[in-house]
Amino acid sequence: MDAIFLQILNGLDKGAAYALIALGLTLVFGTLGIVNFAHGALFMLGAFCAVSLNKLMTLSTKVEDTSVTLFKAYKEQPYLEIWFPDMGHTLIEYSVPLSILLAIPVMILVGIAMERGLIKHFYKRAHADQILVTFGLAIVIQEVIKAYFGANPIPQTAPEILSGSADIGSWLGLGQNVVYPWWRIVYLLFSGVVIFGVFAFLQFTTYGMVVRAGMRDRETVGLLGINIERRFTLVFALATIVAGLAGVMYTPVLPPDYHMGMDFLVLSFVVVVVGGMGSLGGAVLAGFLLGIIQSFASMTEVKAVLPGIDQIVIYLVAVVILLVLPRGLMGRAGVMDD
Amino acid sequence: MKNGTMNDLTRFAIFAGVVLAMPLWLEPLGANYPDLLQKFAIYGIFAIGFNILFGLTGYLSFGHAAFLGIGSYAAVWSFKLFTMNAIPAVIFGVLFAGLLAYVIGFLSLRRTGIYFSILTLAFAQMSYNLAYSVLTPITNGETGLQLSQQDPRIIDSLFVEAGAGLPSTNLFGMKMSGYPGFYFCAVMLIICFFISMRIFRSPFGLMLKGIKSNQNRMNYTGLNTRPYALTAFVISGMYAGLAGSLLAVTDPLAGAERMQWTASGEVVLMTILGGVGTLVGPMIGAGLIKYFENIFSAFNNNVLADIFSFLPDSVSEVVVSVLGLFVGSGWHLTLGLLFMVVVIFLPGGIMEGIDRVISKFRSSRQPVADNKTVSSQNQPGE
């Protein structure tokens, strides 16, 4: 019982990351009809927003270390701590959550530039062309990041107060060994808020209503005199923000490196397809579902029966679902039926 | 590529001549060394095979690296168990790749479009992950499968005593490294090109083109298209298996990273760059990518600094630091940019570019009545 509960928890945080990436991916697909292979690179860009902010805040200079009295010693101290002693220290500690403030404008700019500069010209082209051009773009983004930040993962730390683990087991009257890192709880809550926000935006605002109408029938919406192009640009920017935020908050869980986007992209595509192309609810559901399934498959008891299952289970589920339910879990008829 | 001036036989003869003469005409380009030449031929086979599927039927497979990988593994096992001769290794590689392609194709071809791509990708990733983890007894996991002194080599041991060192691959006594290795691969490439040309011209090829342009209509006429698509998939998988086994012939080891999805992406790149659905395009694309990979990744900032030493110091520093991003380990950046440029401006690849240039050249030589007004300004002596 404890073990099962723990595995569900473990699956949730990975599932949350999958769900967030897949949400943006399927949003772009459902509205713009674009298969965006560069979406994983956007996730990675978000993660590197956190890295850059941290680097910026910890820009440091040499100062004399007064704690050493025997000889003259020097230590590196960030400017921020020199200028505002206590405040600066706290700021640096909270650099990951603060990166959200940096990531949002950066991702909006990236998203708009990408849509206006490149994606716009590919609305009428074949899906294969879209895949290929965004794949090329993903390589470019990846290599630029590699040139500036190097190839090694750059670990980021969560604020100290959140760095321990929560003793969930004792709260719920389960065993003592059911513990779960605080930061992952934060990540879960955060992704819940983001997912809810996106759904609320699409469901309860007039703007979102128009976008949903555009997803159904873009031509008619255009004929009604609505500038659907501009709305779609914003939807694309929204999707990049979601991917970027997912990346920012994931940095304490997984040290970002330049190819993390590609690793997640393949899985997220599987998630989108399992959920059903163009279905937002399906993407979220499938994200969490596959995360949990993956975490169950990596239990030692399961691996003893089916060796290697943890490596392939996601793909296996994807293959079975695609062959049995061609439209995925919640796909609508008429979307990508060719 | 329907310039009626050339018939297939001459085209084939030219292709064979150009391939066999590669060591000669690549010399001035600085690419005349056996390792690179072998890669040209091998990846040419891979891309030509991929083109039979993607170019003719329009099914975009993102999992072809799996066949490349299994071809390599099968070939190395043939070296380990039976003989160091290249022929059985190639046969085993093609056979096993064909079998795997049959299984994967049988399942994946139930879906089309992006679903097909995702299915093939999923199967390839499964093969890759399994090769890395559970199948370690067969694939030797992360280290990669290698020859060793303890291998039985049943057939070889009947004829010759095992020497002190590791035996090398051979073709009835001829060592398969260096130029002989290249010529072996080149002959294979020419055979493959011939087969692919025959497929393009055959009724079967027409059927595949029909699948590409309108599969529904083909189905409505009462024709079951799946066996045709499956045959194309298996043939293309066998090409990939052949390429994989040739990789093992020229260098007898096999690693799981050959199955990774980036390797599948690479062959897509080659085909697109050269020209999808054209006969020689994929071969050109493969050659270009391998050439640039080799040349660009050999560059580094010192070499660049030498080249631009004629500039004033401050300027040359800037130029070198900017260009340094694109060469050496950063050559993937160049590749990505090149790829985007080709997809955006030249969707038909290099072959389309050549066609455009040729047709422009022709129309300016023999101006037809209706474009006379446009071209007359450029015509000297008119």
Side-chain angles (χ1 to χ4, degrees):
Chain A
M1 180 62 204
D2 288 2
I4 291 174
F5 187 68
L6 194 63
Q7 291 307 325
I8 291 179
L9 281 180
N10 279 338
L12 280 179
D13 67 303
K14 202 154 210 187
Y18 291 158
L20 283 179
I21 304 176
L23 183 68
L25 208 53
T26 200
L27 192 62
V28 167
F29 181 78
T31 51
L32 289 78
I34 290 281
V35 184
N36 184 9
F37 259 51
H39 204 73
L42 297 174
F43 174 72
M44 186 260 302
L45 268 186
F48 275 90
C49 280
V51 174
S52 348
L53 189 71
N54 186 276
K55 281 218 159 132
L56 207 67
M57 281 164 111
T58 50
L59 272 182
S60 37
T61 183
K62 262 192 185 156
V63 292
E64 200 176 326
D65 193 345
T66 44
S67 60
V68 182
T69 45
L70 285 174
F71 54 93
K72 271 200 165 182
Y74 293 93
K75 63 176 181 182
E76 293 271 321
Q77 195 170 22
Y79 283 111
L80 264 179
E81 283 186 14
I82 298 170
W83 296 336
F84 324 99
D86 285 341
M87 177 78 175
H89 186 74
T90 325
L91 276 177
I92 291 172
E93 198 184 313
Y94 280 86
S95 77
V96 171
L98 282 175
S99 308
I100 293 176
L101 299 178
L102 173 72
I104 290 178
V106 169
M107 296 317 285
I108 289 183
L109 284 181
V110 169
I112 291 179
M114 196 171 148
E115 202 272 345
R116 287 287 92 184
L118 180 72
I119 304 291
K120 181 175 83 167
H121 307 288
F122 277 78
Y123 288 152
K124 297 239 161 67
R125 302 267 290 263
H127 283 304
D129 283 354
Q130 299 170 355
I131 291 179
L132 295 167
V133 81
T134 48
F135 181 58
L137 181 66
I139 297 177
V140 170
I141 296 177
Q142 205 172 300
E143 291 300 315
V144 170
I145 290 290
K146 186 173 141 196
Y148 282 101
F149 292 92
N152 295 325
I154 306 166
Q156 300 292 309
T157 45
E160 211 172 315
I161 189 171
L162 295 172
S163 61
S165 292
D167 191 6
I168 291 187
S170 59
W171 300 349
L172 300 175
L174 293 165
Q176 282 296 316
N177 45 7
V178 181
V179 290
Y180 196 61
W182 277 107
W183 183 259
R184 298 193 179 199
I185 296 178
V186 172
Y187 193 78
L188 267 181
L189 291 178
F190 175 79
S191 61
V193 169
V194 171
I195 291 170
F196 178 78
V198 171
F199 274 93
F201 170 72
L202 288 175
Q203 213 66 40
F204 302 128
T205 63
T206 321
Y207 204 100
M209 188 180 72
V210 174
V211 169
R212 274 186 298 135
M215 275 169 101
R216 281 291 165 93
D217 188 343
R218 137 184 226 160
E219 211 163 283
T220 310
V221 176
L223 289 175
L224 289 172
I226 293 169
N227 187 350
I228 195 75
E229 295 263 313
R230 187 190 297 164
R231 307 211 173 208
F232 279 179
T233 309
L234 266 166
V235 170
F236 192 85
L238 183 68
T240 48
I241 295 174
V242 172
L245 292 186
V248 167
M249 295 296 274
Y250 209 62
T251 47
V253 183
L254 182 80
D257 55 12
Y258 71 100
H259 58 73
M260 73 188 287
M262 282 294 183
D263 303 343
F264 271 84
L265 177 78
V266 177
L267 290 173
S268 311
F269 253 99
V270 171
V271 169
V272 169
V273 172
V274 167
M277 278 306 232
S279 153
L280 297 174
V284 174
L285 180 74
F288 282 107
L289 201 66
L290 288 179
I292 292 171
I293 288 178
Q294 195 183 26
S295 111
F296 270 109
S298 45
M299 284 167 78
T300 30
E301 293 89 339
V302 178
K303 275 199 280 191
V305 184
L306 297 162
I309 187 75
D310 56 321
Q311 303 284 331
I312 59 166
V313 67
I314 286 203
Y315 302 110
L316 211 58
V317 171
V319 166
V320 170
I321 286 194
L322 276 182
L323 291 176
V324 181
L325 293 167
R327 285 193 194 116
L329 291 175
M330 296 170 74
R332 281 181 285 124
V335 179
M336 280 298 285
D337 268 354
D338 64 318
Chain B
M1 281 270 300
K2 282 189 190 76
N3 41 355
T5 50
M6 224 193 289
N7 70 28
D8 278 352
L9 205 62
T10 43
R11 190 174 291 159
F12 173 68
I14 292 174
F15 181 83
V18 168
V19 168
L20 289 175
M22 264 208 280
L24 292 178
W25 60 267
L26 282 176
E27 179 73 54
L29 294 172
N32 178 24
Y33 33 101
D35 277 3
L36 189 58
L37 291 174
Q38 289 164 1
K39 287 236 166 65
F40 285 161
I42 292 170
Y43 282 93
I45 294 175
F46 193 18
I48 287 177
F50 182 78
N51 189 41
I52 291 179
L53 181 71
F54 183 44
L56 284 179
T57 68
Y59 279 94
L60 174 57
S61 158
F62 248 92
H64 255 54
F67 311 128
L68 189 79
I70 199 173
S72 288
Y73 282 127
V76 176
W77 272 110
S78 149
F79 294 141
K80 284 168 90 73
L81 293 180
F82 305 118
T83 165
M84 292 304 288
N85 196 322
I87 298 287
V90 167
I91 293 174
F92 276 115
V94 172
L95 215 63
F96 276 95
L99 279 176
L100 185 70
Y102 183 79
V103 175
I104 292 181
F106 182 77
L107 292 169
S108 305
L109 284 166
R110 281 156 199 277
R111 300 283 168 263
T112 53
I114 186 165
Y115 292 108
F116 173 80
S117 303
I118 296 283
L119 274 173
T120 46
L121 177 63
F123 279 116
Q125 284 297 96
M126 270 198 248
S127 324
Y128 166 70
N129 287 343
L130 286 179
Y132 243 110
S133 56
V134 191
L135 296 180
T136 305
I138 304 175
T139 61
N140 206 10
E142 221 167 310
T143 340
L145 191 61
Q146 287 161 345
L147 300 177
S148 83
Q149 284 280 286
Q150 282 77 44
D151 294 334
R153 268 187 277 281
I154 303 168
I155 299 176
D156 277 2
S157 60
L158 293 179
F159 298 107
V160 276
E161 280 295 300
L166 280 177
S168 58
T169 53
N170 63 59
L171 182 69
F172 306 112
M174 193 166 37
K175 273 196 182 168
M176 283 290 103
S177 54
Y179 284 105
F182 161 68
Y183 280 107
F184 182 63
C185 298
V187 169
M188 287 290 174
L189 172 65
I190 291 166
I191 297 172
C192 283
F193 179 76
F194 183 74
I195 297 173
S196 137
M197 197 165 74
R198 298 305 301 166
I199 291 176
F200 268 65
R201 303 288 184 251
S202 65
F204 169 68
L206 276 178
M207 199 69 90
L208 297 182
K209 283 179 192 161
I211 294 177
K212 182 178 186 175
S213 42
N214 198 335
Q215 186 160 13
N216 276 337
R217 184 175 285 183
M218 300 278 284
N219 286 330
Y220 292 156
T221 55
L223 189 107
N224 186 5
T225 51
R226 202 176 295 156
Y228 291 95
L230 183 57
T231 315
F233 192 86
V234 173
I235 292 175
S236 133
M238 285 161 97
Y239 268 70
L242 174 65
S245 59
L246 287 177
L247 279 178
V249 166
T250 51
D251 183 14
L253 48 91
E257 72 283 346
R258 265 180 208 162
M259 290 181 151
Q260 214 177 359
W261 74 283
T262 43
S264 304
E266 202 182 8
V267 71
V268 182
L269 262 153
M270 291 170 177
T271 314
I272 302 275
L273 180 65
V276 184
T278 60
L279 268 173
V280 287
M283 171 70 212
I284 295 176
L288 271 182
I289 286 185
K290 284 291 152 193
Y291 177 74
F292 281 125
E293 177 178 339
N294 206 61
I295 301 295
F296 273 68
S297 47
F299 272 37
N300 55 30
N301 283 1
N302 294 336
V303 181
L304 280 179
D306 275 356
I307 296 176
F308 290 101
S309 55
F310 64 90
L311 291 170
D313 272 358
S314 54
V315 179
S316 92
E317 248 171 51
V318 174
V319 170
V320 167
S321 62
V322 169
L323 286 181
L325 283 178
F326 295 89
V327 298
S329 57
W331 95 274
H332 274 111
L333 181 59
T334 321
L335 184 69
L337 284 174
L338 177 75
F339 193 48
M340 281 174 70
V341 168
V342 167
V343 178
I344 294 171
F345 298 108
L346 214 63
I350 290 172
M351 290 310 286
E352 190 191 300
I354 295 177
D355 274 0
R356 273 194 208 169
V357 171
I358 290 179
S359 62
K360 211 165 235 174
F361 188 64
R362 277 210 183 122
S363 64
S364 63
R365 287 238 342 250
Q366 315 151 337
V368 260
D370 48 1
N371 68 357
K372 203 166 192 172
T373 45
V374 187
S375 58
S376 58
Q377 295 150 344
N378 315 331
Q379 294 298 309
E382 215 183 44

